[in-house]
């Protein structure tokens, strides 16, 4: 039986907060950046709600909203600053080794991402570990936490029960939906958040992930 580990990318594999926070600091100053980042996190789901906007536009719309809420304006020519910067967002240092270890044990790897295909491919290049499949929001017209990513993944790969574990940092976008689908999940609690939706396992980062995957779906 094939075993698949699916991953959220931004926040789990790529440091989303560092990427967006760095741009907010550049545009609006270091002192404002932390508060603006929290506002971004709060406002982005509204821009994703109907699944109609490409992720580049979600980034731009949310950036404008964050600035407006703070009484600021996005500088001229910087409207696409977040989308333009995304390919350079840093990969967490634990990622490559952990993914390589999972692959060495026979796990197939996939990404389920709220992103455009070309942007996620740039991040995969930065990660430096091959993935066997990608489900991108731009290709299915839906954003997590809606379940369409998981449905499309099952349709496209034919993966059956018992051979699929989902790995993610976001309780809102990923872990809650995995729980509602009855799917085993590993919550990568990088931010030390309090317990939220039920998950199968919790880790502070990806170190030791391969062992946990093998526990949840033995070979």
């Amino acid at each position: 039986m094939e075993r698949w580990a699916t991953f959220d990318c931004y926040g789990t594999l790529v440091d989303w907060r560092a990427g967006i926070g760095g741009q907010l600091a550049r545009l609006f100053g270091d002192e404002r950046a932390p508060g603006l980042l929290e506002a971004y996190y709060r406002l982005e789901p509204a821009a994703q709600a109907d699944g109609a906007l490409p992720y580049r536009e979600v980034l731009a719309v949310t950036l404008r909203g964050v600035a407006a809420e703070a009484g600021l304006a996005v500088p001229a020519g910087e409207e696409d600053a977040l989308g333009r910067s995304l390919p350079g967002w840093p990969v967490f240092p634990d990622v490559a080794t952990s993914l390589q270890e999972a692959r060495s044990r026979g796990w197939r790897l996939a990404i389920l991402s709220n992103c455009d295909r070309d942007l996620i491919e740039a991040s995969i290049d930065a990660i430096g570990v091959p993935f066997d499949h990608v489900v991108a929001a731009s290709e299915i017209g839906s954003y997590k936490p809606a379940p369409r990513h998981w449905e499309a993944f099952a349709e496209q790969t034919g993966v059956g029960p018992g051979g699929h574990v989902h790995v993610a940092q976001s309780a809102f976008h990923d872990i809650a939906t995995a729980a509602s689908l009855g799917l085993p999940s590993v919550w990568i609690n990088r931010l030390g958040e309090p317990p939220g939706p039920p998950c199968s396992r919790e880790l502070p980062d990806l170190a030791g992930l391969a062992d946990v995957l093998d526990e949840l779906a033995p070979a």
Side-chain angles (χ1 to χ4, degrees):
M1 180 182 69
E2 286 188 338
R3 298 185 300 164
W4 284 85
T6 55
F7 293 83
D8 173 56
C9 185
Y10 301 103
T12 306
L13 307 177
V14 172
D15 194 340
W16 180 95
R17 293 178 70 89
I20 291 182
Q23 291 301 304
L24 294 173
R26 182 179 69 82
L27 296 173
F28 304 114
D30 291 338
E31 291 185 1
R32 288 194 176 104
L36 295 175
L37 180 61
E38 295 312 309
Y40 186 96
Y41 192 78
R42 175 169 46 81
L43 294 177
E44 187 186 64
Q48 297 174 325
D50 64 3
L53 293 179
Y55 192 60
R56 276 184 178 80
E57 293 186 34
V58 168
L59 291 166
V61 166
T62 309
L63 179 61
R64 288 198 303 271
V66 166
E69 187 176 84
L72 303 167
V74 178
E78 296 285 4
E79 294 83 3
D80 65 341
L82 299 184
R84 194 171 64 239
S85 71
L86 188 150
W89 292 359
V91 178
F92 287 109
D94 51 275
V95 167
T97 299
S98 299
L99 295 181
Q100 289 165 350
E101 176 63 22
R103 287 189 67 88
S104 75
R105 299 189 190 189
W107 283 89
R108 302 191 73 181
L109 309 181
I111 287 179
L112 311 184
S113 180
N114 279 355
C115 200
D116 301 335
R117 167 66 73 155
D118 63 320
L119 294 177
I120 195 67
E121 292 292 350
S123 293
I124 290 172
D125 287 345
I127 291 167
V129 177
F131 284 81
D132 301 290
H133 197 70
V134 174
V135 179
S138 61
E139 297 173 343
I140 61 171
S142 179
Y143 286 104
K144 298 178 291 179
R148 183 58 191 150
H149 277 79
W150 289 269
E151 294 167 353
F153 172 75
E155 293 164 4
Q156 293 166 10
T157 64
V159 66
H164 178 194
V165 178
H166 189 60
V167 183
Q169 179 271 326
S170 176
F172 171 75
H173 289 97
D174 290 85
I175 300 301
T177 307
S180 73
L181 297 171
L183 183 67
S185 64
V186 183
W187 182 29
I188 307 302
N189 189 6
R190 292 191 181 276
L191 304 178
E193 297 174 284
C199 61
S200 305
R201 298 286 190 278
E202 177 183 339
L203 293 173
D205 52 41
L206 264 63
L209 176 66
D211 290 336
V212 170
L213 292 174
D214 282 348
E215 291 173 10
L216 294 174

